[in-house]
Amino acid sequence: MSTTPRPLRNVLFIMADQLRWDYLSCYGHPTLKTPHIDALARRGVRFANAFVQGPVCGASRMSTYTGRYVSTHGSAWNFVPLSVGQKTLGDHVRPHGVRCAVVGKTHVEPDVEGARRLGIDTTQGAGLLAMEGGFEPYERDDGILPAGFKVEGNRYCDYLRAHGYPGDNPWHDWANSGEDDKGHVLSGWEMRWADRPARVAEEHSETPYMTRRAMQFIEEQGDRPWVLHLSYIKPHWPYVAPAPYHAMYSPADVVPARRSQAERDDPHPVVRGYMDTDPSRSFSQPEVRERVIPTYMGLIKQLDDQLGLLFEFLRAKGIDQETLIVFTSDHGDYLGDHWLGEKELFHDAVVKVPLIVVDPRPEADAVRGRVVHELVESIDLIPTFLDALDLPQPTEWLEGASLQPLLHGQGAGPWRDAVFSENSYAFRDPVRLPLGRPVDGCLMTMVRTHRWKYVHYEGVAPQLFDLQADPDEFTDLGQDPAHAQVREQMAGRLFDWLRQRKRFPSITYDDIEQWNRREVQAGIQIGAW
Amino acid sequence: MSTTPRPLRNVLFIMADQLRWDYLSCYGHPTLKTPHIDALARRGVRFANAFVQGPVCGASRMSTYTGRYVSTHGSAWNFVPLSVGQKTLGDHVRPHGVRCAVVGKTHVEPDVEGARRLGIDTTQGAGLLAMEGGFEPYERDDGILPAGFKVEGNRYCDYLRAHGYPGDNPWHDWANSGEDDKGHVLSGWEMRWADRPARVAEEHSETPYMTRRAMQFIEEQGDRPWVLHLSYIKPHWPYVAPAPYHAMYSPADVVPARRSQAERDDPHPVVRGYMDTDPSRSFSQPEVRERVIPTYMGLIKQLDDQLGLLFEFLRAKGIDQETLIVFTSDHGDYLGDHWLGEKELFHDAVVKVPLIVVDPRPEADAVRGRVVHELVESIDLIPTFLDALDLPQPTEWLEGASLQPLLHGQGAGPWRDAVFSENSYAFRDPVRLPLGRPVDGCLMTMVRTHRWKYVHYEGVAPQLFDLQADPDEFTDLGQDPAHAQVREQMAGRLFDWLRQRKRFPSITYDDIEQWNRREVQAGIQIGAW
């Protein structure tokens, strides 16, 4: 390129939770219409092959926030602390005067033990930020509060109480539950009540609340640069939507489950374990899908409407011209596909996510509305943000690649031809115990190319899918003799990937390059005669 | 075992720097007699196949101090900061009331950037300890001070000044230099002066000084439990010994270099690079070996004499009956073997180290004086220490295995059949630049079994040695067609090893096992209908 693009001032990094890639009309959903997100895609680039680094919230998000694979950052699963040794997005932008904050969910589990060991004051400043994964907690809310749990210090719960929804846990009792004819609470934790409207007015439900909080943040900032992670809790369970979204879709709008009888009859041993968990048993029943999925769709519809308001807000103020806008998800939801519920495994229903990026600069004009098919990963986001803000790339930390060449229609050049995702079934007794595996022997690693998906399991047979012949991933070739060579090649890719991880981030590449010169300057002479 | 051994109170963890495994008489050196270390071996167990995790000081030591492989702890080379996210020996014993201190060298490079990011006060308490790799710096001294460097705040230099050795840098000018007839300083950084006596009286040289400091620490402790890392700087360069040790050995005592003409004529490309560095060029000259090695031997002899005093001190006070005593090294020294000087590669001259462990308890009586041939690693030391003190094993952190079964003659049971060591030549321009490799593409990884040694290089041919047919490691089978299958097997071991690393230390195995129960207790119901 002849000229460097002008730097952008802000990044608006929007994430939905548990949003499947194919539950948006721009990604091809036949009955769910999401015009505002579709319009976003028309203004920018839509990635058709975007993958997350882990199929559960916590691990996936920590990869997005650190720009590193799960087994590099070490936060293996939900609620596993993010080590104080890891650097996050905020650490890379804040020193350059960019405010970095969150509205909504991060699922960051603080490394309290690490903080104690290091004598860190976690109540303020750098220590507090480290406990928040580098995001200033403008409005931190992970939105997972069991029934009966007494909620204190949660701003959204305070808001609900102030608006006529009292109690210890208004998040549960009002925003995430329905009610029966007598006004008794029907908990959203039980999916059978998914067709009931939430007990709050729509404007008081989580999605509009978080949208308004994002607008407040942006207003307050004025011209000062920011990265805002607007991280919606929905359409993650509890599957409860406020009126009118609870009734906007009916069983007739539900697409059929993608599953085959053969999958159920002879599953891979690890998949069998997941089939034996509550979510899978529930979602294998047609009545559950028909009750839950319309509400899941309604929650997405509500999100789309709120994003419409947000994008109009940005446009009206001209902020959109200074801001990289990113919309994605942390993983999908099986919703009964493959006889599974929830997430945790590596079918595209879970590890493929929507990803739309709008770069307002003229360099991106030629590719607006384009669909990009390159394999991209959530760890690519931090490098992309840093490029947009024209900040340095700490290559010793970041395992992803900036998407800017793809956003500017320059072609990817030599681009990765495989993506990786990791999880462990150590946290799931119904999976681990029947296999008799030790807790440190339950890692699962996916390597996926355009053609093949290979999942490596320690001590258990691998899985292999031919995505060209079998895009629905119904036929596991993990033990097919005819595919031994493909499996070997895929295992070889895994080996290559493991060797090339960024395991030495405490020294910069530049410092390494300068090493010999500095040694000489310091007067250290080794081996001189 | 029917009964649990009584816990020991202390661990005395002695390390020499750059001491080759075969430069002790108990390990077979023909002319260098080390009766005190030999006696230690008779009182305990001598390991014939002990290996370090890295062939340079810093990386090797950080593995010993963290109990983790180099690419797990991330301190890739000398002076690469040890991340604040890593836990060390001190973190595992101090909470149990055991004082953990160092006398001498650790080569820990503080993670100043990490401390700043986290707002850690590094001047005291937990923050200071983190900057010291978990060792209370009772007498921290790395002993690498260039000529002309102004030394302030170093206790040994203050000691020298107080004893009649003035100047900005008495470490260099007196303890590590000789002098000519006119009293001019002949710097120890130039190996040609290795036959000159140091300019200090023997009692003021580093090895006796550190020995006395260790005795002071032990005296002060009384009955309170401790782990003391007595970490001698010698026989590491500068190769300068005080009288009479400078003249105790002559060229006649020097064993011939282990090298073949074929090695020099057709070296592996990475080995060729190291052959082009100053230490290798120097040590390939017979006159250098004849000048330096007698002094290297003298320094070891002095160390042995000092250890004799220390062991007698412990015996006289009865402390030896309460103390696990460990003697080892951080790596060897080529000394001209294979046409190489210094270290950095993976021949046994460098990665095999002496390791002697004395457990005073009756459980160890039956095996005193025994030689153990199992493959052991320096990461096994922390688990061994914790076992001796009867402290919990944080298995989510530690990648090694306790040696206690071997120390108690129980047999190893299923024991590892391969050891691993890692390094990067990114820090060495004469190696990296001719190969045109990027700084993040210079990793070298050794996997060694009893029979085979395989070294993997990124983008460069591997090395393979048949240690049975070729114990001197003269014949590189890295490209021999007849050994393709062996190489494949060894690469497979490397792959297995990479997958099984302890990358998720922020959660304990117990917490993982309890996960499902805790989720239920917390009231989180996922997928309930």
Side-chain angles (χ1 to χ4, degrees), chain A residues 276-313:
Chain A
D276 284 342
T277 62
D278 285 344
S280 298
R281 281 195 291 246
S282 294
F283 273 103
S284 293
Q285 302 169 46
E287 62 177 329
V288 175
R289 295 188 82 246
E290 289 174 5
R291 186 85 51 90
V292 172
I293 293 177
T295 296
Y296 180 75
M297 293 167 67
L299 289 166
I300 297 166
K301 183 70 180 173
Q302 185 188 20
L303 174 62
D304 187 70
D305 285 342
Q306 288 297 314
L307 290 178
L309 298 176
L310 178 64
F311 297 150
E312 177 51 29
F313 165 87

Side-chain angles (χ1 to χ4, degrees), chain A residues 437-457:
Chain A
R437 297 288 302 165
V439 292
D440 65 348
C442 302
L443 290 183
M444 315 182 265
T445 312
M446 176 200 83
V447 46
R448 184 202 195 278
T449 64
H450 283 290
R451 169 85 188 265
W452 301 102
K453 181 179 286 182
Y454 176 82
V455 185
H456 181 274
Y457 299 89

Side-chain angles (χ1 to χ4, degrees), chain A residues 58-59 62 70-86 107-115 117 427, chain B residues 68 72 85-87 92 394-398 501-512 515 518:
Chain A
M62 297 317 112
V70 174
S71 54
T72 312
H73 63 65
S75 186
W77 210 75
N78 293 329
F79 304 108
V80 174
L82 178 66
S83 165
V84 290
Q86 295 296 320
H107 225 302
V108 169
E109 183 74 10
D111 182 4
V112 173
E113 193 272 342
R117 174 169 51 83
F427 299 83
Chain B
R68 317 184 82 200
T72 311
Q86 296 295 320
K87 286 178 81 164
H92 300 306
T395 42
E396 71 278 11
W397 282 95
L398 301 177
R501 308 288 283 284
K502 306 236 171 166
R503 302 231 172 78
F504 307 102
S506 66
I507 183 166
T508 68
Y509 288 8
D510 184 56
D511 278 346
I512 295 174
W515 199 274
R518 289 180 190 182

Side-chain angles (χ1 to χ4, degrees), chain B residues 270-345:
Chain B
V270 170
V271 179
R272 180 194 303 274
Y274 281 102
M275 285 179 176
D276 284 342
T277 62
D278 284 344
S280 298
R281 280 196 290 248
S282 294
F283 274 104
S284 292
Q285 302 169 46
E287 62 177 330
V288 175
R289 295 189 80 246
E290 289 175 5
R291 185 86 49 90
V292 172
I293 293 176
T295 297
Y296 180 75
M297 293 168 67
L299 289 167
I300 297 166
K301 183 71 181 173
Q302 185 188 21
L303 174 63
D304 188 69
D305 285 342
Q306 287 297 314
L307 289 177
L309 298 175
L310 178 65
F311 298 150
E312 177 51 28
F313 165 89
L314 295 174
R315 198 203 56 72
K317 297 188 172 293
I319 296 169
D320 60 345
Q321 292 309 305
E322 304 294 336
T323 304
L324 187 82
I325 301 179
V326 177
F327 175 78
T328 191
S329 172
D330 64 345
H331 55 75
D333 189 326
Y334 275 116
L335 298 175
D337 285 5
H338 310 286
W339 311 98
L340 293 164
E342 269 278 273
K343 44 222 178 189
E344 301 221 28
L345 290 168

Side-chain angles (χ1 to χ4, degrees), chain A residues 81 282 427 458 499 506 516 527, chain B residues 71 81 282 427 458 499 506 516 527:
Chain A
S282 294
F427 299 83
E458 292 301 322
R499 293 198 318 275
S506 67
N516 281 266
Chain B
S71 54
S282 294
F427 300 83
E458 292 301 322
R499 292 198 318 274
S506 66
N516 282 266

Side-chain angles (χ1 to χ4, degrees), chain A residues 112-126:
Chain A
V112 173
E113 193 272 342
R116 194 178 303 129
R117 174 169 51 83
L118 295 164
I120 296 172
D121 175 3
T122 61
T123 63
Q124 59 181 341

